[in-house]
Amino acid sequence: MNEVAAKSKGDSAQPRKLSRAARRQQLIEATIETIAERGYARTTLTDVANRAGLSHGLVNFHFETKEKLLTETLVFLSEEYRANWVAALAAAPDTPAQQLDALIRADFNPEICTSARLAAWCAYWGEAQCRPLYQEHCGSNDAEYFRAMLGICERLASEGRYGYNPTLAARVLRVTLEGVWLDMMTMNTPYSRAEALTTVYACAAAFFPHHFTLDGPKPAEGA
Amino acid sequence: MNEVAAKSKGDSAQPRKLSRAARRQQLIEATIETIAERGYARTTLTDVANRAGLSHGLVNFHFETKEKLLTETLVFLSEEYRANWVAALAAAPDTPAQQLDALIRADFNPEICTSARLAAWCAYWGEAQCRPLYQEHCGSNDAEYFRAMLGICERLASEGRYGYNPTLAARVLRVTLEGVWLDMMTMNTPYSRAEALTTVYACAAAFFPHHFTLDGPKPAEGA
DNA sequence: TCCCATTTTGAATGATCAGTCAATATTCTG
DNA sequence: CAGAATATTGACTGATCATTCAAAATGGGA
């Protein structure tokens, strides 16, 4: 992605040919940006191509149809999202509080949580024709995410002897994360990432007060 | 609305002429259903008119342009939503727990929380061109909603002597409600309203355990 | 009943846009 | 370097769709 990003920024430095994969990636990035700026409904292949500094015939050359371009863009977003939280979990210490913290912070990773990506996600959620598509391509990722969240909540619940059903805690945390993302899109005075993070920590602290405060996980504690 | 709904259901019972307001309302309902079924991007005036059993020229007669039709549909949804929660608050007992319960339940009122309306909201959220529009027409309603939610949370916080910042509790409750709505759209095994309600109650119970359980507000209690 | 204002229809118009393709440019291979 | 393979361009085509408008239908009032 760095290679492509670097190339696509420079106005005239475009190499005539890029590897097949790099060119496709460049067009997918342009698609995300176009959806964010113009909306899904008014995104045209010419827009996407122009944004990438290419001619629109090329989009059909690489993706065959507009529909396939939009599908592959969604798949890319979904995989990128998944890879991000999986990596965050792997990098965090294996205590449930640190794992939940990593999962929460992953959602606000500046690489993932850009305004263009938020807008594109929101557009896909809203497109009815995309719903079967979404479930086909992203449903398994969502399910995996929820299992991860649930496993962490179960460990927290047993450690902290909380009275809550961990399934409900996991569900509330997930919808809170989703809702905050949506809020960042629709509010007229959009929050900063820091405010968004505090909101989610407030939720975590409400469910797991032995483990979390508004500032994040407590240093170290048993039950 | 009842008059229009009744008329629009019957296939042949359409009176040739309806009052201006009733016809417009009928077209707005058809717009919501069309957006839900076909998506915002693929909604055409002919679709909307056909769904209402009318000719497409009539849409322009009543709304002048497609854009104005879509704008007025959004404004209708926003006003309908607002009227619903305002009425629910007015009808509920004036204790903070009952008020919060009313506000939560209002979101799942079967008249408001239909799959077509959820899908239409989601489509509008996702349309970039609608964002300035949304804030212009719905921003004040959203702000009013948040003030109501915050007021209730402040009363609960002082009654229950909870340690939380009521602003954060209000924000988490609001994003949880939004997130649950979004979930009802995007999940492949969509929850029932009852499950959605339990999820939100779990959130309320986490923040206000003296006042709420997973089944709703506790019968009656002081601090 | 006969007008007149209003509503409704659907054919015609013009703009937009996805997809095609022949021509051209570029890179790779031998 | 020659020639093949691949990538890129942009003019063209056909389909779709918002908008216009003249004609027809309707209902209300005199």
Side-chain angles (χ1 to χ4, degrees):
Chain A
M1 195 195 310
N2 288 331
E3 179 198 4
V4 179
K7 300 286 167 94
S8 70
K9 294 306 176 193
D11 269 19
S12 52
Q14 289 266 357
R16 181 63 182 222
K17 251 172 134 171
L18 229 49
S19 81
R20 205 174 179 79
R23 186 66 85 206
R24 286 168 61 92
Q25 187 55 40
Q26 180 190 15
L27 287 167
I28 284 175
E29 291 287 344
T31 303
I32 293 170
E33 288 164 22
T34 304
I35 291 175
E37 182 178 311
R38 309 245 310 149
Y40 190 100
R42 304 201 309 179
T43 290
T44 71
L45 294 188
T46 304
D47 288 332
V48 172
N50 285 348
R51 183 172 285 271
L54 301 166
S55 75
H56 77 263
L58 200 57
V59 181
N60 282 305
F61 177 78
H62 281 289
F63 289 93
E64 298 182 59
T65 67
K66 184 184 185 184
E67 197 185 330
K68 286 185 183 175
L69 170 67
L70 291 166
T71 301
E72 297 216 34
T73 300
L74 175 59
V75 169
F76 166 74
L77 282 170
S78 178
E79 278 307 318
E80 181 190 52
Y81 182 80
R82 178 180 171 282
N84 181 60
W85 69 256
V86 167
L89 283 190
D94 190 27
T95 67
Q98 291 297 324
Q99 291 274 296
L100 180 55
D101 185 49
L103 204 53
I104 290 170
R105 286 179 170 276
D107 248 34
F108 300 106
N109 176 349
E111 298 236 336
I112 295 294
C113 183
T114 66
S115 66
R117 277 165 167 70
L118 289 185
W121 273 112
C122 201
Y124 278 107
W125 287 331
E127 259 318 291
Q129 71 185 114
C130 293
R131 281 195 280 275
L133 184 72
Y134 181 89
Q135 280 151 25
E136 184 182 341
H137 290 95
C138 312
S140 64
N141 285 1
D142 284 357
E144 191 182 341
Y145 180 86
F146 186 70
R147 278 195 301 276
M149 175 70 88
L150 180 57
I152 293 168
C153 287
E154 282 168 345
R155 288 174 66 194
L156 281 168
S158 69
E159 263 194 15
R161 305 200 304 117
Y162 298 110
Y164 294 102
N165 177 345
T167 303
L168 284 174
R171 207 184 257 182
V172 171
L173 278 165
R174 184 168 55 90
V175 298
T176 297
L177 284 162
E178 276 178 16
V180 167
W181 265 34
L182 195 59
D183 244 31
M184 290 197 277
M185 281 300 306
T186 53
M187 294 276 290
N188 41 5
T189 49
Y191 340 146
S192 66
R193 262 194 293 270
E195 281 178 290
L197 195 55
T198 299
T199 301
V200 180
Y201 281 149
C203 184
F207 277 94
F208 305 116
H210 303 160
H211 294 89
F212 275 83
T213 71
L214 296 189
D215 300 317
K218 290 187 181 178
E221 200 170 356
Chain B
M1 194 193 314
N2 288 329
E3 180 199 3
V4 179
K7 301 285 167 94
S8 71
K9 295 305 177 192
D11 270 20
S12 52
Q14 289 266 355
R16 182 62 182 222
K17 252 172 134 173
L18 227 50
S19 79
R20 207 175 177 78
R23 187 65 87 207
R24 285 167 62 94
Q25 186 56 40
Q26 180 190 14
L27 287 167
I28 284 175
E29 290 288 342
T31 303
I32 293 170
E33 289 164 22
T34 304
I35 291 175
E37 182 177 311
R38 310 246 308 149
Y40 189 100
R42 304 201 309 180
T43 289
T44 70
L45 294 189
T46 303
D47 289 331
V48 171
N50 286 348
R51 183 172 284 271
L54 300 167
S55 76
H56 71 266
L58 201 57
V59 183
N60 282 305
F61 177 77
H62 281 290
F63 290 93
E64 298 183 58
T65 67
K66 184 184 184 184
E67 196 185 332
K68 287 185 184 175
L69 170 67
L70 291 166
T71 301
E72 297 216 33
T73 300
L74 175 59
V75 169
F76 166 74
L77 283 169
S78 178
E79 278 307 318
E80 181 189 51
Y81 182 80
R82 179 180 171 282
N84 180 61
W85 69 258
V86 166
L89 282 191
D94 191 28
T95 66
Q98 291 296 324
Q99 291 273 297
L100 180 55
D101 185 49
L103 204 54
I104 290 169
R105 285 180 170 275
D107 247 34
F108 301 105
N109 175 349
E111 298 234 337
I112 295 295
C113 183
T114 66
S115 67
R117 276 166 167 68
L118 289 186
W121 273 112
C122 202
Y124 278 107
W125 286 332
E127 260 319 291
Q129 71 184 117
C130 293
R131 281 195 280 275
L133 185 71
Y134 181 89
Q135 280 152 25
E136 185 183 341
H137 291 96
C138 313
S140 64
N141 285 0
D142 284 359
E144 190 182 341
Y145 180 87
F146 186 70
R147 277 195 302 275
M149 176 70 89
L150 180 56
I152 293 168
C153 287
E154 283 168 346
R155 288 173 66 191
L156 282 167
S158 69
E159 264 194 14
R161 305 201 303 118
Y162 298 110
Y164 294 103
N165 177 346
T167 302
L168 285 174
R171 206 184 257 182
V172 171
L173 278 165
R174 184 167 56 90
V175 297
T176 297
L177 285 161
E178 276 178 15
V180 167
W181 265 34
L182 194 60
D183 243 31
M184 289 197 278
M185 282 300 305
T186 53
M187 293 277 289
N188 43 3
T189 49
Y191 340 148
S192 65
R193 263 194 293 271
E195 281 178 289
L197 196 55
T198 298
T199 302
V200 180
Y201 281 149
C203 184
F207 278 95
F208 306 115
H210 302 159
H211 294 89
F212 276 83
T213 72
L214 296 189
D215 299 317
K218 290 188 179 177
E221 199 170 356

